Amino acid sequence: EYLDGFHYELGWIYLIQGKLEEAALEFAWVGNSSDDANLAGGSLCKIGDIDIDKKEYAEAAKRFDNVLDKYPDSAWADYAEFQTANIFLATDRYDQAILAYQSALTNFPATPLKEKVIFQLGLTYLKKGDFERAAAVFQMALKEFSDGEMAAEARYHHANALYNLDRYA
């Protein structure tokens, strides 16, 4: 009855040791064998993260889509949506990234990733050159997370957006 958990934890151990192939095999075992939505969803997400590290974005996207399709109520669904948006951003598909970040905020309003999602949304607007929206998102982030872990960076990017809008004061 503990076999799924053992394989899952072994995958994490391999991941921490930098043994990505071994980790992926353990996570794949769990993803294919477990009836536990959280273990299976988490395993697929970790394989997706390994794919991202290898810049295999299409494979990673499939893994995260699989989590959202098969395990939408798992503890990993918000992470899967966030990582999907990050893949769009990494591949310069800004409009898709924006929609995916907005979707993450709508579908998972209480996600512990909220600060990161909002920050990445603002960053996407910056990269797209939509400084007005970037400024608004970073301003919202600073109101909501003024002392959060990303506050200093959000202030910097907010100032950058305002500078690009010729709002020097």
Side-chain angles (χ1 to χ4, degrees):
E1 70 182 279
Y2 300 109
L3 194 56
D4 295 350
F6 288 146
H7 280 281
Y8 183 76
E9 293 302 325
L10 185 56
W12 275 99
I13 291 168
Y14 282 138
L15 193 62
I16 290 167
Q17 292 178 333
K19 298 178 180 178
L20 301 183
E21 295 305 316
E22 291 90 341
L25 288 172
E26 294 301 327
F27 289 131
W29 190 95
V30 176
N32 293 327
S33 303
S34 183
D35 292 331
D36 184 314
N38 288 324
L39 285 179
S43 293
L44 291 171
C45 283
K46 293 321 298 173
I47 296 170
D49 288 345
I50 291 168
D51 291 335
I52 288 174
D53 288 344
K54 296 190 296 187
K55 300 200 182 317
E56 295 175 358
Y57 298 119
E59 286 300 312
K62 288 179 194 173
R63 309 248 191 236
F64 295 120
D65 285 345
N66 201 359
V67 172
L68 293 168
D69 289 340
K70 286 186 176 179
Y71 311 108
D73 296 326
S74 78
W76 288 88
D78 59 341
Y79 182 80
E81 189 138 19
F82 176 63
Q83 286 295 73
T84 298
N86 288 336
I87 290 168
F88 290 139
L89 179 58
T91 55
D92 299 330
R93 293 183 282 174
Y94 302 130
D95 290 330
Q96 290 168 300
I98 289 165
L99 289 174
Y101 289 126
Q102 290 172 337
S103 178
L105 292 171
T106 300
N107 294 334
F108 305 100
T111 180
L113 299 169
K114 189 172 186 178
E115 182 178 2
K116 290 179 181 181
V117 173
I118 293 171
F119 180 85
Q120 289 295 102
L121 177 60
L123 202 57
T124 305
Y125 280 124
L126 264 183
K127 288 186 178 220
K128 185 179 177 189
D130 188 341
F131 302 115
E132 193 71 48
R133 286 196 174 124
V137 169
F138 285 121
Q139 186 172 18
M140 176 185 69
L142 289 168
K143 282 181 184 174
E144 196 161 336
F145 308 109
S146 62
D147 58 347
E149 70 179 73
M150 306 178 97
E153 239 183 308
R155 276 190 212 61
Y156 169 78
H157 290 302
H158 182 234
N160 184 21
L162 293 172
Y163 176 84
N164 281 288
L165 292 167
D166 297 329
R167 294 185 197 157
Y168 303 119

